[in-house]
Amino acid sequence: MLSQTLAITFLLFIGIFPNPDFKDNNPTYISSIDPISVIYDGLHTENGVLPSKEVFTMAIQGWYKMKENLKSKVLTVIDFSLPSTAKRMWIIDPEKGQVLLNSVVSHGRNSGDLMAKTFSNVPESFKSSLGFYKTAETYSGKHGYSLRLDGLEKGFNDLARDRAIVIHGADYAREEFAKSVGRLGRSLGCPALPSELSAQAIDLIKDGSLLFIFGKDDNYLAKSSLIKA
């Protein structure tokens, strides 16, 4: 459960103002709160590993702007500036201040080897696409239980459904594979998860939650309106 400070901060962030009795009616205290910092600092995770504050800030800015159009308030963050051997995907419940799942995740084979360096929205590019997605329906395909994604940012990921960019499980996305090869295997552009975790992850985020994929790409960082306050 959220601490009182974190709960009040969250209400401030989403535009619901708290009882003025909080902190002895001290408006200076309330106005001095940095909501994103308090939410970030209050996140609870079993292994202690969190996304960087920079990436989390971008993700939560987009989440705040999109939250009224979401059926689920869970937020997924993928940081492709980290190597594929790192646990660079987080499923977060911002309202409860909890990290629900932290996992490795594969990038597209033409985006890079250990590191994802280039990104594309072009069909048959076999590259990962950056930006915000809304999770959609589940289905059973060649990779088993899978989750469709709808890209929300024109020019960056809006062709995701046409490209069949989905979340699915894969043995090449398992940590054991990375230990033997030095990196995870790569997909055709999908954020592929370890086969033993994919169903759990899909059930946490399916049917209308927000997913954010970050990468070091100057064009995206300059042009995306969702990552800015």
Side-chain angles (χ1 to χ4, degrees):
M1 181 175 292
L2 289 175
S3 68
Q4 185 183 35
T5 301
L6 183 53
I8 295 298
T9 301
F10 184 81
L11 293 175
L12 278 169
F13 183 66
I14 63 175
I16 301 174
F17 293 95
N19 187 315
D21 291 336
F22 184 65
K23 282 289 178 180
D24 302 319
N25 289 316
N26 188 341
T28 302
Y29 174 83
I30 294 176
S31 64
S32 68
I33 293 175
D34 174 5
I36 293 176
S37 292
V38 177
I39 294 170
Y40 181 80
D41 293 342
L43 285 177
H44 171 73
T45 178
E46 291 184 0
N47 60 15
V49 178
L50 294 172
S52 72
K53 188 174 181 181
E54 175 191 16
V55 172
F56 177 79
T57 297
M58 294 180 191
I60 204 74
Q61 295 286 12
W63 177 87
Y64 173 71
K65 292 175 182 178
M66 297 297 299
K67 63 184 175 63
E68 297 304 324
N69 298 317
L70 302 172
K71 291 183 180 179
S72 167
K73 296 303 187 288
V74 171
L75 171 65
T76 303
V77 180
I78 295 175
D79 184 356
F80 277 157
S81 70
L82 299 174
S84 65
T85 50
K87 290 186 175 182
R88 55 186 181 171
M89 186 194 82
W90 295 262
I91 299 175
I92 299 168
D93 186 332
E95 295 182 341
K96 294 182 179 179
Q98 294 179 344
V99 176
L100 305 177
L101 187 67
N102 179 210
S103 174
V104 296
V105 56
S106 289
H107 55 253
R109 72 185 187 195
N110 287 343
S111 282
D113 293 326
L114 176 64
M115 306 292 297
K117 297 180 179 180
T118 61
F119 307 93
S120 178
N121 192 39
V122 176
E124 307 303 320
S125 66
F126 302 147
K127 293 184 179 183
S128 297
S129 301
L130 301 180
F132 287 90
Y133 299 76
K134 188 174 182 179
T135 66
E137 75 275 13
T138 61
Y139 70 99
S140 183
K142 66 178 182 179
H143 294 291
Y145 189 49
S146 304
L147 175 64
R148 298 195 192 279
L149 301 173
D150 290 314
L152 301 177
E153 299 200 70
K154 187 172 178 60
F156 291 107
N157 62 21
D158 59 315
L159 297 181
R161 186 172 282 260
D162 293 340
R163 295 178 60 204
I165 302 301
V166 304
I167 292 181
H168 63 76
D171 287 341
Y172 62 71
R174 302 176 71 235
E175 291 184 78
E176 289 78 4
F177 184 99
K179 289 176 182 177
S180 63
V181 177
R183 60 166 172 78
L184 289 188
R186 297 161 299 164
S187 68
L188 298 183
C190 299
L193 298 176
S195 49
E196 66 271 21
L197 290 178
S198 58
Q200 178 187 0
I202 288 170
D203 283 342
L204 284 171
I205 68 175
K206 65 184 180 181
D207 297 331
S209 71
L210 196 66
L211 181 148
F212 175 59
I213 298 180
F214 171 81
K216 290 183 177 179
D217 182 88
D218 291 341
N219 186 44
Y220 176 76
L221 296 175
K223 293 183 179 179
S224 174
S225 63
L226 291 177
I227 62 174
K228 299 175 176 66

